Coordinates of all heavy atoms in Angstrom, one line a residue:
K1 N -5.3 4.0 13.8 CA -4.3 3.6 14.8 C -3.9 2.1 14.5 O -4.7 1.3 14.2 CB -5.0 3.7 16.2 CG -4.0 3.7 17.3 CD -4.8 3.8 18.6 CE -5.4 5.2 18.8 NZ -5.9 5.5 20.1
I2 N -2.6 1.9 14.6 CA -2.1 0.5 14.4 C -2.8 -0.5 15.2 O -3.1 -0.3 16.3 CB -0.6 0.5 14.7 CG1 0.1 -0.8 14.1 CG2 -0.3 0.7 16.1 CD1 1.6 -0.8 14.1
G3 N -3.1 -1.6 14.5 CA -3.8 -2.7 15.1 C -5.3 -2.5 15.3 O -6.0 -3.5 15.7
S4 N -5.9 -1.4 14.9 CA -7.3 -1.1 15.0 C -8.0 -1.6 13.8 O -7.5 -1.7 12.7 CB -7.6 0.4 15.3 OG -7.3 1.1 14.1
H5 N -9.3 -1.9 14.0 CA -10.2 -2.3 12.8 C -10.2 -1.1 11.8 O -10.2 -1.4 10.6 CB -11.6 -2.5 13.3 CG -12.6 -2.7 12.3 ND1 -12.6 -3.9 11.5 CD2 -13.6 -1.9 11.8 CE1 -13.6 -3.8 10.6 NE2 -14.2 -2.6 10.8
G6 N -10.2 0.1 12.3 CA -10.2 1.3 11.4 C -9.0 1.4 10.5 O -9.2 1.9 9.3
S7 N -7.9 0.9 10.9 CA -6.7 1.1 10.1 C -6.6 0.0 9.0 O -5.8 0.1 8.1 CB -5.4 1.1 10.9 OG -5.2 -0.2 11.5
E8 N -7.4 -1.1 9.2 CA -7.3 -2.2 8.2 C -7.9 -1.9 6.9 O -8.8 -1.0 6.8 CB -8.1 -3.4 8.8 CG -7.4 -4.0 10.0 CD -8.2 -5.1 10.6 OE1 -9.2 -5.6 10.0 OE2 -7.9 -5.6 11.7
A9 N -7.5 -2.6 5.8 CA -8.1 -2.4 4.5 C -9.6 -2.9 4.6 O -9.9 -3.7 5.4 CB -7.4 -3.3 3.5
I10 N -10.4 -2.2 3.8 CA -11.8 -2.6 3.7 C -11.9 -4.0 3.2 O -11.0 -4.5 2.5 CB -12.6 -1.6 2.8 CG1 -12.1 -1.6 1.4 CG2 -12.7 -0.2 3.5 CD1 -12.9 -0.7 0.4
D11 N -13.0 -4.7 3.6 CA -13.2 -6.1 3.2 C -13.1 -6.3 1.7 O -12.6 -7.3 1.2 CB -14.6 -6.6 3.7 CG -14.6 -6.7 5.2 OD1 -13.5 -6.8 5.8 OD2 -15.7 -6.8 5.8
E12 N -13.6 -5.4 0.9 CA -13.6 -5.5 -0.6 C -12.1 -5.6 -1.1 O -11.9 -6.4 -2.0 CB -14.3 -4.3 -1.2 CG -15.8 -4.3 -1.0 CD -16.2 -3.5 0.3 OE1 -15.3 -3.3 1.2 OE2 -17.3 -3.1 0.4
I13 N -11.2 -4.9 -0.5 CA -9.8 -5.0 -0.9 C -9.2 -6.2 -0.4 O -8.4 -6.9 -1.1 CB -9.0 -3.7 -0.3 CG1 -9.5 -2.4 -1.0 CG2 -7.5 -3.9 -0.5 CD1 -9.2 -2.3 -2.5
K14 N -9.5 -6.6 0.9 CA -9.0 -7.9 1.4 C -9.3 -9.1 0.6 O -8.5 -10.0 0.5 CB -9.5 -8.1 2.8 CG -8.9 -7.2 3.9 CD -9.5 -7.5 5.3 CE -8.9 -6.7 6.4 NZ -9.5 -7.0 7.6
E15 N -10.5 -9.1 -0.1 CA -10.9 -10.2 -0.9 C -9.9 -10.5 -2.0 O -9.9 -11.6 -2.5 CB -12.3 -10.0 -1.4 CG -13.4 -10.1 -0.3 CD -14.8 -9.8 -0.9 OE1 -14.9 -9.8 -2.1 OE2 -15.7 -9.6 0.0
F16 N -9.2 -9.5 -2.4 CA -8.2 -9.8 -3.5 C -6.9 -10.4 -3.1 O -6.1 -10.8 -3.9 CB -7.9 -8.4 -4.3 CG -9.1 -8.0 -5.1 CD1 -9.9 -7.0 -4.6 CD2 -9.3 -8.5 -6.3 CE1 -11.0 -6.5 -5.3 CE2 -10.4 -8.1 -7.1 CZ -11.3 -7.1 -6.6
G17 N -6.7 -10.5 -1.8 CA -5.6 -11.2 -1.2 C -4.3 -10.6 -1.7 O -4.1 -9.4 -1.8
S18 N -3.4 -11.5 -2.1 CA -2.0 -11.1 -2.6 C -2.0 -10.5 -3.9 O -0.9 -10.0 -4.4 CB -1.1 -12.4 -2.5 OG -1.6 -13.3 -3.5
R19 N -3.1 -10.4 -4.6 CA -3.2 -9.7 -5.9 C -2.9 -8.3 -5.7 O -2.4 -7.6 -6.6 CB -4.5 -9.9 -6.6 CG -4.6 -9.3 -7.9 CD -5.6 -9.9 -8.8 NE -5.7 -9.0 -10.0 CZ -6.8 -8.4 -10.4 NH1 -7.9 -8.6 -9.8 NH2 -6.7 -7.7 -11.5
I20 N -3.2 -7.7 -4.5 CA -2.9 -6.3 -4.2 C -1.7 -6.3 -3.3 O -1.8 -6.8 -2.2 CB -4.1 -5.6 -3.6 CG1 -5.3 -5.6 -4.6 CG2 -3.8 -4.2 -3.2 CD1 -6.6 -5.0 -4.1
L21 N -0.7 -5.7 -3.7 CA 0.6 -5.5 -2.9 C 0.4 -4.4 -2.0 O -0.2 -3.3 -2.4 CB 1.7 -5.3 -3.9 CG 3.1 -5.1 -3.3 CD1 3.5 -6.5 -2.6 CD2 4.1 -4.8 -4.4
E22 N 0.8 -4.5 -0.7 CA 0.7 -3.4 0.2 C 2.0 -2.8 0.4 O 3.0 -3.5 0.6 CB 0.1 -3.9 1.5 CG -0.2 -2.8 2.5 CD -1.0 -3.2 3.7 OE1 -2.2 -3.5 3.6 OE2 -0.4 -3.2 4.8
S23 N 2.1 -1.5 0.4 CA 3.3 -0.7 0.7 C 3.0 0.1 1.9 O 2.5 1.2 1.9 CB 3.6 0.3 -0.5 OG 4.7 1.0 -0.2
P24 N 3.3 -0.5 3.1 CA 3.1 0.2 4.4 C 4.1 1.3 4.7 O 5.1 1.5 4.0 CB 3.2 -0.9 5.4 CG 4.2 -1.9 4.8 CD 4.0 -1.8 3.3
G25 N 3.8 2.1 5.7 CA 4.7 3.1 6.2 C 4.2 4.5 6.1 O 4.7 5.4 6.6
K26 N 3.1 4.7 5.3 CA 2.5 6.0 5.1 C 2.0 6.6 6.4 O 1.2 6.0 7.0 CB 1.4 6.0 4.0 CG 0.8 7.3 3.7 CD -0.2 7.1 2.5 CE -0.8 8.4 2.1 NZ -1.9 8.8 3.0
Q27 N 2.5 7.8 6.8 CA 2.1 8.4 8.0 C 1.8 9.9 7.8 O 1.8 10.7 8.7 CB 3.2 8.3 9.1 CG 3.4 6.8 9.5 CD 4.6 6.7 10.5 OE1 5.5 7.5 10.5 NE2 4.5 5.7 11.3
G28 N 1.6 10.2 6.5 CA 1.3 11.6 6.2 C 0.5 11.6 4.9 O -0.2 10.7 4.6
L29 N 0.6 12.7 4.2 CA -0.3 12.9 3.0 C 0.2 12.3 1.7 O -0.6 11.9 0.9 CB -0.5 14.4 2.8 CG -0.9 15.2 4.0 CD1 -1.1 16.7 3.7 CD2 -2.2 14.7 4.7
N30 N 1.5 12.1 1.6 CA 2.1 11.7 0.4 C 2.5 10.2 0.5 O 3.3 9.8 1.3 CB 3.3 12.5 0.1 CG 4.0 12.2 -1.2 OD1 3.8 11.2 -1.8 ND2 4.9 13.1 -1.6
A31 N 1.9 9.4 -0.4 CA 2.2 7.9 -0.4 C 3.6 7.5 -0.7 O 4.0 6.4 -0.5 CB 1.2 7.2 -1.3
F32 N 4.4 8.5 -1.2 CA 5.8 8.2 -1.5 C 6.7 8.3 -0.3 O 7.8 7.8 -0.3 CB 6.3 9.0 -2.7 CG 5.8 8.6 -4.0 CD1 4.7 9.2 -4.6 CD2 6.5 7.6 -4.7 CE1 4.2 8.9 -5.8 CE2 6.0 7.2 -6.0 CZ 4.9 7.9 -6.5
I33 N 6.2 9.1 0.7 CA 7.1 9.4 1.9 C 7.0 8.2 2.9 O 5.9 7.8 3.3 CB 6.6 10.7 2.5 CG1 6.7 11.9 1.6 CG2 7.5 11.0 3.8 CD1 8.1 12.2 1.0
N34 N 8.1 7.7 3.3 CA 8.3 6.7 4.3 C 7.7 5.3 3.9 O 7.4 4.5 4.7 CB 7.5 7.1 5.6 CG 8.1 6.4 6.9 OD1 9.3 6.3 7.0 ND2 7.2 6.0 7.7
T35 N 7.6 5.1 2.6 CA 7.2 3.8 2.0 C 8.2 3.4 1.0 O 9.0 4.2 0.5 CB 5.8 3.9 1.4 OG1 5.9 4.7 0.1 CG2 4.7 4.6 2.3
D36 N 8.0 2.2 0.5 CA 8.8 1.7 -0.6 C 8.1 1.8 -1.9 O 8.4 1.1 -2.9 CB 9.3 0.3 -0.3 CG 8.2 -0.7 -0.1 OD1 7.0 -0.3 -0.2 OD2 8.5 -1.9 0.1
L37 N 7.1 2.6 -2.0 CA 6.3 2.7 -3.3 C 7.1 3.0 -4.5 O 7.0 2.3 -5.5 CB 5.2 3.8 -3.1 CG 4.3 4.1 -4.3 CD1 3.6 2.8 -4.7 CD2 3.3 5.2 -4.0
E38 N 8.0 4.0 -4.4 CA 8.8 4.4 -5.6 C 9.7 3.2 -6.0 O 9.9 2.9 -7.2 CB 9.6 5.6 -5.3 CG 10.4 6.1 -6.5 CD 11.1 7.4 -6.3 OE1 11.2 7.9 -5.1 OE2 11.6 8.0 -7.3
L39 N 10.3 2.5 -5.0 CA 11.2 1.4 -5.3 C 10.4 0.3 -6.0 O 10.9 -0.3 -7.0 CB 11.8 0.9 -4.0 CG 12.7 -0.4 -4.1 CD1 13.9 -0.1 -4.9 CD2 13.1 -0.9 -2.7
I40 N 9.2 0.0 -5.5 CA 8.4 -1.1 -6.2 C 8.1 -0.7 -7.6 O 8.2 -1.5 -8.5 CB 7.0 -1.3 -5.4 CG1 7.3 -1.8 -4.0 CG2 6.1 -2.2 -6.2 CD1 6.1 -1.8 -3.1
L41 N 7.7 0.6 -7.8 CA 7.4 1.0 -9.2 C 8.6 0.9 -10.1 O 8.5 0.4 -11.2 CB 6.9 2.5 -9.2 CG 5.5 2.7 -8.4 CD1 5.3 4.2 -8.3 CD2 4.4 2.0 -9.1
K42 N 9.8 1.3 -9.6 CA 11.0 1.3 -10.4 C 11.4 -0.2 -10.7 O 11.8 -0.5 -11.8 CB 12.1 2.1 -9.8 CG 11.8 3.6 -9.9 CD 13.0 4.4 -9.4 CE 12.7 5.9 -9.6 NZ 13.8 6.7 -9.1
E43 N 11.3 -1.0 -9.7 CA 11.7 -2.4 -9.9 C 10.8 -3.1 -10.9 O 11.2 -4.0 -11.6 CB 11.6 -3.2 -8.6 CG 12.7 -2.9 -7.6 CD 12.5 -3.6 -6.3 OE1 11.5 -4.1 -6.0 OE2 13.5 -3.7 -5.5
N44 N 9.6 -2.6 -11.0 CA 8.6 -3.2 -12.0 C 8.6 -2.4 -13.3 O 7.7 -2.7 -14.1 CB 7.3 -3.3 -11.4 CG 7.2 -4.4 -10.4 OD1 7.0 -5.6 -10.7 ND2 7.3 -4.1 -9.1
L45 N 9.5 -1.5 -13.5 CA 9.6 -0.7 -14.7 C 8.4 0.1 -15.1 O 8.0 0.2 -16.2 CB 10.1 -1.6 -15.9 CG 11.3 -2.4 -15.7 CD1 11.6 -3.3 -16.9 CD2 12.5 -1.5 -15.4
I46 N 7.7 0.5 -14.0 CA 6.4 1.3 -14.2 C 6.8 2.7 -14.5 O 7.6 3.4 -13.9 CB 5.6 1.2 -12.9 CG1 5.2 -0.2 -12.5 CG2 4.4 2.1 -13.0 CD1 4.4 -0.9 -13.5
T47 N 6.1 3.2 -15.5 CA 6.2 4.6 -16.0 C 4.9 5.4 -15.8 O 4.9 6.6 -15.9 CB 6.7 4.7 -17.4 OG1 5.8 4.1 -18.3 CG2 8.1 4.1 -17.6

């Protein structure tokens, strides 16, 4: 649930700070739906 402790990244991930980019918006099973994941990958020429 938004704003809850449970929805937050685990502490181990938080420790990396901005090194890990977050692509929010996922509200279902597929990380490409309702997020900018594909755009980020394409902008960075990821294959």
Side-chain angles (χ1 to χ4, degrees):
K1 199 178 290 187
I2 192 166
S4 70
H5 172 72
S7 70
E8 293 176 8
I10 58 174
D11 290 341
E12 292 89 341
I13 293 291
K14 285 181 180 178
E15 287 177 14
F16 288 99
S18 62
R19 182 159 172 235
I20 298 176
L21 182 63
E22 188 171 289
S23 179
K26 183 173 177 285
Q27 297 176 330
L29 309 181
N30 184 341
F32 285 95
I33 303 297
N34 204 42
T35 71
D36 58 358
L37 178 59
E38 186 174 9
L39 178 64
I40 294 168
L41 295 171
K42 287 184 175 179
E43 285 178 346
N44 286 278
L45 305 177
I46 299 298
T47 58

